[in-house]
Amino acid sequence: MSRIGIIGAGSIGSAFALLFADAGYRVRVYDPDLSAAARSQETISNRASQLAQYGLLRSDHERISRLIDYVPTVAEAVNEALLVQESGPEDVVQKRQIFADLTAATSPHTILASSSSSIPTSRFVPETSAERALIAHPGNPPYLLRIIEIVGNPATSEEVLSRAESIYAKADLTPVRIRQEIEGFVFNRLQGAVLREAYALVSEGTVDPDGLDTLVRDGLGLRWAVLGPFATSDLNVRGGIRAHAKRMGDAYQRMASGRGPSEAWTEAMIDEVEAARRREVPLSSWDDAVADRDLELMKLLNSRQPNLRKEDR
Amino acid sequence: MSRIGIIGAGSIGSAFALLFADAGYRVRVYDPDLSAAARSQETISNRASQLAQYGLLRSDHERISRLIDYVPTVAEAVNEALLVQESGPEDVVQKRQIFADLTAATSPHTILASSSSSIPTSRFVPETSAERALIAHPGNPPYLLRIIEIVGNPATSEEVLSRAESIYAKADLTPVRIRQEIEGFVFNRLQGAVLREAYALVSEGTVDPDGLDTLVRDGLGLRWAVLGPFATSDLNVRGGIRAHAKRMGDAYQRMASGRGPSEAWTEAMIDEVEAARRREVPLSSWDDAVADRDLELMKLLNSRQPNLRKEDR
């Protein structure tokens, strides 16, 4: 069997359908909202042609469409699936119901994965299927940020985790193992650390929101798109990361100490950033701004790996 | 006069010489080490030809070389300069001496800028020239991360700050105004916030250093190379950054509260990251890894702004 089941045909579920079909898997998608299928098909069709333009598709649009079926029941979606990717609402009560249904409808060999960004599987999987349940949290959008956080619960078997990782790797997502069910996992904890310092800097009047975003986009973020933070520090000081820690460690500790551990995001600081963002992007242009972001990401990916995708074919 | 003086011909001083000459300024460089000039010329020559290959040079190599002179005294370097870019050692005692010399050797119209990443001008400029002194802190490498932090001291005049900003903008560096002499300014405070959470995550066993770097390089960092953190959050939740703060603020606050405010970087956590980095890049290959980073950055810049540089010519 080389079939994947997707529960939920929203933007994340549709993205997974596209990624798995592009890797050659047969995909069955279930959504309780019957009108979701048409929207999902259109999304996948648009995305697939954009990705193809930038050399980021291994297969082609027609083949992808042929591999994806929308089905009217959970049972049909998950029957004989290697892996089920649950991409429903971020709500623990709904996930409990969905995972009870999935446990009943699947064989013990089917991996049960959830796209949740914040709720660990311990909080919603039945004991009987905990061994084959895990979080597989993608970036947004998943077909452009080609990483996925793999988080087991204490009962998840190593065999299931590594089998899941090899399935995601086939769909061109680099799996990163997260070894504790920590809130925010790693991706969102790092994002939270930046936002916390960013809000504090704006709030105290050190920099305005646009200036801060510019420093990241054309500076820190550009470099982090080439090297992660440890690799960046390693190459910033001759002698590597140990020399970096010796030179910079005390200063970074002082900077961290200056921030209280638990300041809430205040209304005033959100107001200031919101006003700056609306000057840049009125809410009426929000969808266009998202589309522009994705085009820029496609250009970067295209430039970064000029030959990789073709070799993959 | 359209002349720039550079004090210090190391990697940062040489990078500024290249940037200013590419913008058409006459540049005079002084370094107390007489052998520094030859190395600096070679560095600039190599960098200029790489940048030209990727469409990231406005001028050409020969014209740049003709515009840069290496001179044997501070007085010759700064005579009739619009702006002096001090790029000497990160040492407050040496900077005090250099800025005393610069104050004596320049007219009151010359802007005195320091590349310091950590020592604010209040700590080393004489009172008599404080009004025309500021920090202009670049990214590394400065000709690829095209941003610069502009930090006045309390006496720096607004006229000087905006004149400096327009000079850097001509050299294709986007100036970002930092309104307080805060340790680490903004660039390094954001970097410190990420490193602090990154070290904590590795240290507690949540993720290994390579996995964390992968999540940033192919995920968060790639997206931050397109949009800064506020713009990213603004587009991650329909309704914009206010809706994002409402949905995510409490979770981010909980994540921050879980970290003590002032943990030092321990030897054990540095050892672990160092070992992972050395498996990736032995110190004997460090210079090659830096060169590879810069080539990747050039590719990204080239893809991001395919037509901009040509229009600038």
Side-chain angles (χ1 to χ4, degrees):
Chain A
M1 63 182 182
S2 58
R3 194 174 283 165
I4 302 288
I6 309 264
I7 305 300
S11 66
I12 299 295
S14 300
F16 273 111
L18 168 52
L19 282 168
F20 284 122
D22 189 36
Y25 289 102
R26 291 201 63 86
V27 179
R28 289 189 171 170
V29 184
Y30 166 78
D31 195 293
D33 174 0
L34 293 178
S35 69
R39 280 199 308 277
S40 172
Q41 279 174 314
E42 199 192 327
T43 301
I44 290 173
S45 164
N46 292 339
R47 291 314 191 151
S49 51
Q50 279 187 314
L51 290 167
Q53 264 178 49
Y54 287 92
L56 300 172
L57 214 59
R58 287 183 285 186
S59 172
D60 60 71
H61 181 187
E62 287 70 29
R63 181 151 183 262
I64 287 170
S65 296
R66 275 201 311 276
L67 286 171
I68 302 173
D69 287 312
Y70 295 83
V71 295
T73 63
V74 170
E76 285 167 273
V78 304
N79 181 36
E80 292 192 6
L82 279 174
L83 179 147
V84 177
Q85 186 78 34
E86 177 273 320
S87 302
E90 198 71 352
D91 177 283
V92 72
V93 175
Q94 291 188 60
K95 288 199 193 294
R96 267 185 206 132
Q97 184 59 56
I98 294 168
F99 275 77
D101 293 348
L102 291 177
T103 302
T106 51
S107 91
H109 297 295
T110 299
I111 296 169
L112 304 181
S114 169
S115 304
S116 175
S117 64
S118 62
I119 315 173
T121 50
S122 291
R123 292 191 55 208
F124 58 78
V125 289
E127 218 176 293
T128 50
S129 60
E131 180 262 342
R132 57 189 173 103
L134 51 92
I135 296 291
H137 172 235
N140 176 33
Y143 36 80
L144 296 176
L145 309 194
R146 294 278 184 140
I147 44 82
I148 192 155
E149 294 184 286
I150 304 295
V151 198
N153 62 68
T156 312
S157 79
E158 175 57 36
E159 186 274 327
V160 163
L161 290 165
S162 38
R163 194 148 47 91
E165 287 174 345
S166 77
I167 293 170
Y168 292 113
K170 275 185 200 145
D172 215 7
L173 295 168
T174 305
V176 174
R177 185 79 67 93
I178 311 300
R179 296 180 194 279
Q180 301 193 55
E181 292 189 297
I182 187 174
E183 182 164 20
F185 311 131
V186 169
F187 189 97
N188 278 325
R189 288 190 83 88
L190 293 172
Q191 186 151 241
V194 164
L195 283 170
R196 176 176 179 238
E197 183 64 30
Y199 268 120
L201 287 163
V202 166
S203 173
E204 74 196 14
T206 298
V207 69
D208 63 41
D210 292 345
L212 187 139
D213 270 356
T214 298
L215 284 174
V216 175
R217 188 186 62 238
D218 295 342
L220 279 170
L222 184 71
R223 204 168 53 186
W224 279 329
V226 172
L227 296 170
F230 290 129
T232 295
S233 298
D234 193 48
L235 299 187
N236 265 352
V237 176
R238 187 168 291 276
I241 198 150
R242 184 179 302 283
H244 173 271
K246 193 173 174 192
R247 185 188 294 177
M248 300 296 293
D250 287 350
Y252 282 136
Q253 192 193 344
R254 282 194 302 275
M255 293 177 210
S257 307
R259 302 290 180 211
S262 61
E263 288 140 9
W265 291 6
T266 65
E267 274 304 308
M269 71 193 200
I270 295 164
D271 285 348
E272 181 170 358
V273 175
E274 160 82 1
R277 288 303 309 153
R278 295 291 71 80
R279 283 192 296 273
E280 291 291 310
V281 179
L283 280 183
S284 56
S285 309
W286 189 87
D287 289 287
D288 294 338
V290 170
D292 288 347
R293 175 196 69 190
D294 292 353
L295 284 179
E296 288 303 311
L297 282 169
M298 288 183 208
K299 281 194 228 167
L300 289 190
L301 284 170
N302 176 273
S303 76
R304 182 148 86 161
Q305 308 179 321
N307 305 310
L308 184 68
R309 302 296 160 184
K310 277 172 196 160
E311 286 164 15
D312 277 353
R313 278 165 201 256
Chain B
M1 62 180 183
S2 60
R3 193 174 284 166
I4 302 287
I6 309 265
I7 306 298
S11 65
I12 298 297
S14 300
F16 273 112
L18 168 53
L19 283 167
F20 284 123
D22 190 37
Y25 289 103
R26 291 201 63 87
V27 179
R28 289 188 171 171
V29 183
Y30 166 78
D31 195 293
D33 173 1
L34 295 177
S35 68
R39 280 198 307 276
S40 171
Q41 279 174 312
E42 199 193 328
T43 300
I44 290 173
S45 162
N46 292 339
R47 291 313 191 154
S49 51
Q50 279 187 312
L51 291 167
Q53 265 179 47
Y54 287 93
L56 300 170
L57 214 60
R58 288 184 286 187
S59 173
D60 61 68
H61 181 189
E62 288 69 30
R63 182 152 181 261
I64 286 170
S65 295
R66 275 201 311 276
L67 286 170
I68 303 173
D69 287 313
Y70 294 83
V71 296
T73 63
V74 169
E76 285 168 272
V78 304
N79 182 37
E80 293 193 5
L82 279 176
L83 180 147
V84 178
Q85 186 78 35
E86 178 272 320
S87 302
E90 199 71 354
D91 177 284
V92 72
V93 175
Q94 292 189 60
K95 288 199 193 294
R96 266 185 206 133
Q97 183 59 55
I98 294 169
F99 275 77
D101 294 348
L102 292 176
T103 302
T106 51
S107 92
H109 297 295
T110 299
I111 296 170
L112 304 181
S114 170
S115 305
S116 176
S117 63
S118 63
I119 315 174
T121 50
S122 292
R123 292 191 56 207
F124 59 78
V125 288
E127 218 176 291
T128 50
S129 60
E131 180 262 341
R132 56 190 173 103
L134 51 90
I135 296 290
H137 173 234
N140 177 33
Y143 37 78
L144 296 176
L145 309 194
R146 294 280 184 137
I147 44 81
I148 191 155
E149 293 184 286
I150 304 296
V151 197
N153 62 69
T156 312
S157 79
E158 175 56 35
E159 186 273 328
V160 162
L161 290 166
S162 38
R163 195 149 46 89
E165 287 174 345
S166 77
I167 293 170
Y168 293 112
K170 276 185 200 144
D172 215 8
L173 294 169
T174 305
V176 174
R177 186 77 69 93
I178 311 300
R179 295 178 195 281
Q180 302 193 54
E181 292 188 297
I182 188 175
E183 181 165 20
F185 312 131
V186 169
F187 190 97
N188 277 325
R189 287 190 83 88
L190 294 173
Q191 186 150 241
V194 164
L195 283 171
R196 176 175 179 240
E197 183 65 28
Y199 269 120
L201 288 163
V202 166
S203 171
E204 74 196 13
T206 298
V207 68
D208 63 42
D210 292 345
L212 186 140
D213 271 355
T214 298
L215 284 174
V216 175
R217 189 185 61 238
D218 295 342
L220 279 169
L222 184 71
R223 203 168 55 187
W224 279 329
V226 171
L227 296 171
F230 290 129
T232 295
S233 297
D234 194 47
L235 299 188
N236 266 352
V237 177
R238 187 168 291 275
I241 197 150
R242 185 179 300 284
H244 174 271
K246 193 172 175 195
R247 185 188 295 179
M248 300 296 294
D250 287 348
Y252 282 135
Q253 192 193 345
R254 282 194 303 274
M255 293 177 209
S257 305
R259 302 291 181 210
S262 62
E263 288 140 10
W265 292 6
T266 64
E267 275 303 308
M269 73 195 198
I270 295 164
D271 285 349
E272 180 170 358
V273 175
E274 159 83 1
R277 288 303 306 149
R278 295 291 72 80
R279 283 192 295 272
E280 290 293 308
V281 179
L283 280 183
S284 56
S285 309
W286 190 87
D287 289 286
D288 294 338
V290 171
D292 288 347
R293 175 196 70 190
D294 292 354
L295 285 179
E296 288 303 311
L297 282 169
M298 289 183 208
K299 282 193 228 167
L300 289 189
L301 284 170
N302 175 275
S303 75
R304 182 147 86 162
Q305 306 178 324
N307 305 309
L308 184 69
R309 304 295 159 181
K310 277 172 198 160
E311 284 163 16
D312 277 351
R313 277 164 202 253

Short mmCIF file of all heavy atoms in Angstrom, two decimals, chain A residues 112-133:
data_model
loop_
_atom_site.label_atom_id
_atom_site.label_comp_id
_atom_site.label_asym_id
_atom_site.label_seq_id
_atom_site.Cartn_x
_atom_site.Cartn_y
_atom_site.Cartn_z
N LEU A 112 -0.64 7.52 12.62
CA LEU A 112 -1.61 8.61 12.82
C LEU A 112 -0.85 9.89 13.17
O LEU A 112 -0.33 10.03 14.27
CB LEU A 112 -2.59 8.25 13.94
CG LEU A 112 -3.37 6.93 13.76
CD1 LEU A 112 -4.32 6.71 14.95
CD2 LEU A 112 -4.14 6.91 12.44
N ALA A 113 -0.79 10.80 12.21
CA ALA A 113 -0.03 12.04 12.40
C ALA A 113 -0.98 13.22 12.47
O ALA A 113 -1.99 13.26 11.77
CB ALA A 113 0.96 12.23 11.26
N SER A 114 -0.64 14.19 13.31
CA SER A 114 -1.43 15.41 13.39
C SER A 114 -0.57 16.60 13.01
O SER A 114 0.60 16.68 13.38
CB SER A 114 -1.95 15.61 14.82
OG SER A 114 -2.49 16.92 14.95
N SER A 115 -1.15 17.54 12.25
CA SER A 115 -0.43 18.77 11.87
C SER A 115 -0.42 19.81 12.98
O SER A 115 0.09 20.92 12.77
CB SER A 115 -1.10 19.40 10.64
OG SER A 115 -1.18 18.49 9.57
N SER A 116 -0.97 19.50 14.14
CA SER A 116 -1.10 20.51 15.21
C SER A 116 0.20 21.25 15.48
O SER A 116 1.27 20.66 15.56
CB SER A 116 -1.56 19.83 16.51
OG SER A 116 -1.56 20.80 17.55
N SER A 117 0.09 22.57 15.63
CA SER A 117 1.27 23.37 15.97
C SER A 117 1.43 23.53 17.47
O SER A 117 2.44 24.05 17.93
CB SER A 117 1.16 24.75 15.33
OG SER A 117 0.05 25.44 15.88
N SER A 118 0.43 23.11 18.24
CA SER A 118 0.51 23.44 19.67
C SER A 118 -0.02 22.38 20.63
O SER A 118 0.27 22.44 21.81
CB SER A 118 -0.23 24.76 19.93
OG SER A 118 -1.59 24.60 19.60
N ILE A 119 -0.81 21.42 20.14
CA ILE A 119 -1.40 20.45 21.08
C ILE A 119 -0.71 19.10 20.90
O ILE A 119 -0.81 18.50 19.84
CB ILE A 119 -2.92 20.28 20.83
CG1 ILE A 119 -3.60 21.66 20.64
CG2 ILE A 119 -3.57 19.51 21.98
CD1 ILE A 119 -5.06 21.57 20.23
N PRO A 120 0.03 18.63 21.89
CA PRO A 120 0.74 17.35 21.73
C PRO A 120 -0.24 16.18 21.68
O PRO A 120 -1.34 16.25 22.24
CB PRO A 120 1.65 17.29 22.96
CG PRO A 120 1.06 18.21 23.96
CD PRO A 120 0.29 19.25 23.20
N THR A 121 0.17 15.10 21.02
CA THR A 121 -0.73 13.94 20.85
C THR A 121 -1.14 13.33 22.18
O THR A 121 -2.23 12.77 22.28
CB THR A 121 -0.09 12.86 19.95
OG1 THR A 121 1.23 12.57 20.42
CG2 THR A 121 -0.03 13.31 18.52
N SER A 122 -0.30 13.43 23.22
CA SER A 122 -0.68 12.91 24.55
C SER A 122 -2.04 13.43 24.99
O SER A 122 -2.73 12.76 25.75
CB SER A 122 0.32 13.37 25.62
OG SER A 122 1.55 12.75 25.42
N ARG A 123 -2.41 14.60 24.54
CA ARG A 123 -3.65 15.20 25.01
C ARG A 123 -4.88 14.73 24.25
O ARG A 123 -5.99 15.03 24.64
CB ARG A 123 -3.56 16.74 24.97
CG ARG A 123 -2.56 17.27 26.00
CD ARG A 123 -2.64 18.76 26.15
NE ARG A 123 -3.98 19.22 26.47
CZ ARG A 123 -4.46 20.43 26.14
NH1 ARG A 123 -3.69 21.29 25.49
NH2 ARG A 123 -5.70 20.77 26.44
N PHE A 124 -4.70 14.00 23.14
CA PHE A 124 -5.92 13.63 22.40
C PHE A 124 -5.95 12.23 21.79
O PHE A 124 -6.98 11.82 21.29
CB PHE A 124 -6.27 14.69 21.34
CG PHE A 124 -5.19 14.95 20.31
CD1 PHE A 124 -5.00 14.08 19.25
CD2 PHE A 124 -4.39 16.09 20.40
CE1 PHE A 124 -4.03 14.33 18.31
CE2 PHE A 124 -3.40 16.35 19.45
CZ PHE A 124 -3.22 15.47 18.40
N VAL A 125 -4.86 11.46 21.82
CA VAL A 125 -4.96 10.12 21.22
C VAL A 125 -5.41 9.08 22.25
O VAL A 125 -5.00 9.13 23.40
CB VAL A 125 -3.63 9.61 20.60
CG1 VAL A 125 -3.31 10.36 19.33
CG2 VAL A 125 -2.48 9.63 21.58
N PRO A 126 -6.24 8.11 21.82
CA PRO A 126 -6.60 7.02 22.72
C PRO A 126 -5.35 6.19 23.06
O PRO A 126 -4.43 6.10 22.24
CB PRO A 126 -7.57 6.16 21.89
CG PRO A 126 -7.91 6.95 20.68
CD PRO A 126 -6.86 7.98 20.49
N GLU A 127 -5.33 5.63 24.25
CA GLU A 127 -4.18 4.82 24.68
C GLU A 127 -3.85 3.71 23.68
O GLU A 127 -2.70 3.42 23.43
CB GLU A 127 -4.53 4.20 26.03
CG GLU A 127 -3.36 4.15 27.01
CD GLU A 127 -3.83 3.61 28.34
OE1 GLU A 127 -4.62 4.29 29.03
OE2 GLU A 127 -3.42 2.48 28.67
N THR A 128 -4.92 3.15 23.09
CA THR A 128 -4.71 2.00 22.21
C THR A 128 -3.95 2.34 20.93
O THR A 128 -3.39 1.46 20.29
CB THR A 128 -6.06 1.38 21.79
OG1 THR A 128 -6.90 2.44 21.32
CG2 THR A 128 -6.72 0.70 22.97
N SER A 129 -3.93 3.62 20.54
CA SER A 129 -3.19 3.95 19.32
C SER A 129 -2.04 4.93 19.58
O SER A 129 -1.42 5.42 18.64
CB SER A 129 -4.13 4.50 18.25
OG SER A 129 -4.76 5.68 18.74
N ALA A 130 -1.74 5.18 20.87
CA ALA A 130 -0.69 6.16 21.19
C ALA A 130 0.66 5.75 20.59
O ALA A 130 1.45 6.60 20.16
CB ALA A 130 -0.56 6.33 22.71
N GLU A 131 0.87 4.45 20.51
CA GLU A 131 2.16 3.92 20.01
C GLU A 131 2.41 4.32 18.55
O GLU A 131 3.54 4.43 18.12
CB GLU A 131 2.10 2.39 20.17
CG GLU A 131 3.32 1.63 19.73
CD GLU A 131 3.16 1.06 18.32
OE1 GLU A 131 2.01 0.95 17.81
OE2 GLU A 131 4.20 0.74 17.72
N ARG A 132 1.32 4.56 17.80
CA ARG A 132 1.49 4.91 16.37
C ARG A 132 1.05 6.35 16.08
O ARG A 132 0.77 6.69 14.92
CB ARG A 132 0.76 3.90 15.49
CG ARG A 132 -0.72 3.74 15.78
CD ARG A 132 -1.29 2.55 14.99
NE ARG A 132 -2.66 2.24 15.37
CZ ARG A 132 -3.72 2.56 14.64
NH1 ARG A 132 -3.59 3.17 13.48
NH2 ARG A 132 -4.93 2.22 15.05
N ALA A 133 0.99 7.19 17.12
CA ALA A 133 0.55 8.58 16.93
C ALA A 133 1.72 9.55 17.13
O ALA A 133 2.59 9.32 17.98
CB ALA A 133 -0.56 8.93 17.91
#
